[in-house]
Amino acid sequence: MAKKVAVIGAGVSGLISLKCCVDEGLEPTCFERTEDIGGLWRFKENVEDGRASIYQSVITNTSKEMSCFSDFPMPEDFPNFLHNSKLLEYFRIFAKNFDLLKYIRFQTTVISVKKCPDFSSSGQWKVVTQSHGKEQSAIFDAVMVCSGHHILPHIPLKSFPGIERFKGQYFHSRQYKHPGGFEGKRILVIGIGNSASDIAVELSKKAAQVFISTRHGSWVMSRISEDGYPWDMVFHTRFNSQLRNVLPRTVLKWMMEQQMNKWLNHENYGLEPQNKYLMKEPILNDDLPSRLLYGAIKVKPRVKEFTETSAVFEDETVEKDIDVIVFATGYTFSFPFLEESLVKVENNMVSLYKYIFPPHLEKSTLACIGLIQPLGSIFPTVELQARWVTRVFKGLCSLPSERTMMADVIKRNEKRIDLFGESQSQILQTNYVDYLDELALEIGAKPALGAILLTDLKLAVKLYFGPCNSYQYRLVGPGRWEGARGAILTQKQRILKPLKTRTLKVSPHFPVSFLLKILGILAVVVAFFFQLR
């Protein structure tokens, strides 16, 4: 008899978890508190309690070829970076194609998830839900928590003396929807993540003046990389990932600084990170540098205190007549339906094995999907999480002992701090390709480059030097997809299709990059044969 699985939330993580459950022959039931799918990516004009909220202009920071699910490429006419409405359209197509909506109970809130009395032997959970004022309970063999972590805003007001005296308007970035109503205002945005920079740029087109206050600064990248290709398709390759892993840290830090400063000198713009050698998530914003050049945005240090109408900064400068403060200060984790002991944060560390499983449970029947912040697209990441989790639930994969899992949690946290730092915003940070490979290895879906090199040179070159996207994890193992090789070899045409809206007569040329790739292939072949000796 198939195991019954409760899936909490019908956002990205919930949808892919449903599909993975169905693929493994499990019986999922998804509980979604709102009336529709999409989660974070479904824009609504009003902010709702218990639901993620975005502003109207949000566009993805990761490209379509790096963000699609592994056996379902996005339509080739879709733009490379998607407006939230376009991404939601993809999710709707995906849900319809795999007939997922029939598993979802909309307008149903999960009240509690508790162990059954015989949990140590059965691993079962009692899930209590509420729909239209009526409570119901049901027993499930496993639970997938897919409710996200962009719900409960973090506003550290105690860190800002005098805020109680401030006479203007202040709110968390979660409340921001569009720039209407901010015309002619002097606005201070606190924080320098992606939301902070997006909001500052958008407001600067209407406001009299916008300031960004940052404690540590940040690297800023463009979505556009070499030859105009999306940044992540150039950055996230196996070759680059391996290079970053084997190079001495001092060399890697120097290379990273040089790379980040190619587009703009961050020191000149007042943006250079305080600890520039941490591998923190950069800002993806094509407009911020130009708005700084226009003077529409000014970068300021940390706020020391507020007066009734002014902000005093730690360098003792003062900006007067501030009308609005936007706190783009991130989020805290909140799972009100779970016992605190199941998923908790202590000493800036999430005690979950590989960011998924609570190590101390007698039975591994509870998993958190999407409680992670990879340096790349979240969508392929949660898909591999769900593929592994459903196979653990089914008994096809097993977890190590609690002691081994806790040792891994501690070691992973130490590595995270070394690479990304200790700030709250980095608690869930992890490397991209390394983590994908780690998950794929658990289910036997990691491609064997050596074997492929001997049998399919063209594919091997794409796997090693090309973008490390989700199709790579459908070449072998459970869930193998016949279209994976074709999707990998045709991704360039899907990138260029939405750009080719004007026909040009192209003159033949021999790019230097092609010669470099040939040399790289030779180097890989030589290295492979030396490894065999």
Side-chain angles (χ1 to χ4, degrees), residues 443-507:
I443 60 174
K446 181 183 175 183
L449 287 178
I452 295 173
L453 181 64
L454 296 175
T455 59
D456 192 338
L457 180 60
K458 185 177 181 180
L459 178 62
V461 171
K462 291 288 185 182
L463 293 180
Y464 193 65
F465 294 104
C468 183
N469 47 29
S470 59
Y471 315 129
Q472 297 197 11
Y473 302 104
R474 289 287 181 177
L475 290 167
V476 296
R480 182 177 177 272
W481 176 44
E482 290 295 334
R485 182 181 185 276
I488 292 168
L489 297 180
T490 58
Q491 56 192 318
K492 185 176 179 180
Q493 72 185 45
R494 289 189 298 278
I495 297 169
L496 298 180
K497 173 71 173 179
L499 301 173
K500 297 288 187 178
T501 54
R502 174 182 170 227
T503 305
L504 299 174
K505 186 177 180 181
V506 182
S507 57

Side-chain angles (χ1 to χ4, degrees), residues 6-62:
V7 177
I8 304 174
V12 180
S13 299
L15 288 176
I16 194 60
S17 292
L18 280 177
K19 180 181 179 294
C20 291
C21 283
V22 175
D23 287 348
E24 290 295 343
L26 303 173
E27 292 183 1
T29 301
C30 178
F31 301 107
E32 169 55 44
R33 67 182 296 151
T34 70
E35 73 286 355
D36 203 354
I37 65 170
L40 172 72
W41 294 97
R42 181 164 58 89
F43 171 80
K44 293 194 76 172
E45 189 67 40
N46 300 316
V47 179
E48 299 176 353
D49 288 339
R51 182 179 178 272
S53 176
I54 57 172
Y55 37 98
Q56 193 172 35
S57 59
V58 168
I59 294 174
T60 60
N61 285 334
T62 55

Side-chain angles (χ1 to χ4, degrees), residues 33-139:
R33 67 182 296 151
T34 70
E35 73 286 355
D36 203 354
I37 65 170
L40 172 72
W41 294 97
R42 181 164 58 89
F43 171 80
K44 293 194 76 172
E45 189 67 40
N46 300 316
V47 179
E48 299 176 353
D49 288 339
R51 182 179 178 272
S53 176
I54 57 172
Y55 37 98
Q56 193 172 35
S57 59
V58 168
I59 294 174
T60 60
N61 285 334
T62 55
S63 63
K64 68 174 183 179
E65 284 298 297
M66 299 295 283
S67 300
C68 62
F69 296 126
S70 60
D71 56 357
F72 199 71
M74 290 192 192
E76 64 177 16
D77 61 334
F78 271 33
N80 284 285
F81 291 96
L82 306 177
H83 183 264
N84 58 82
S85 60
K86 204 70 176 175
L87 185 60
L88 183 59
E89 183 182 342
Y90 171 69
F91 295 148
R92 294 196 192 287
I93 298 170
F94 176 79
K96 182 179 180 181
N97 185 78
F98 294 104
D99 198 18
L100 301 178
L101 295 182
K102 66 183 181 183
Y103 301 103
I104 305 175
R105 295 184 187 176
F106 291 106
Q107 295 183 309
T108 303
T109 302
V110 174
I111 304 299
S112 66
V113 176
K114 293 184 178 179
K115 297 177 184 177
C116 288
D118 63 345
F119 179 83
S120 58
S121 58
S122 71
Q124 291 182 323
W125 301 86
K126 180 180 179 182
V127 179
V128 179
T129 60
Q130 186 179 69
S131 181
H132 304 290
K134 183 181 178 182
E135 281 196 9
Q136 287 186 318
S137 66
I139 303 300

Side-chain angles (χ1 to χ4, degrees), residues 362-420:
E362 304 99 307
K363 298 286 184 179
S364 301
T365 55
L366 178 80
C368 292
I369 307 296
L371 192 58
I372 192 167
Q373 191 173 321
L375 285 177
S377 178
I378 186 70
F379 310 133
T381 307
V382 297
E383 181 180 18
L384 275 170
Q385 286 184 332
R387 287 175 68 186
W388 180 37
V389 165
T390 49
R391 291 181 69 78
V392 170
F393 288 169
K394 200 174 177 181
L396 299 174
C397 295
S398 59
L399 301 184
S401 67
E402 177 184 351
R403 182 177 179 180
T404 301
M405 286 192 284
M406 278 307 304
D408 180 87
V409 169
I410 294 168
K411 183 178 179 181
R412 192 179 298 268
N413 187 60
E414 291 172 349
K415 184 177 180 180
R416 176 189 63 80
I417 291 173
D418 181 49
L419 288 174
F420 307 115

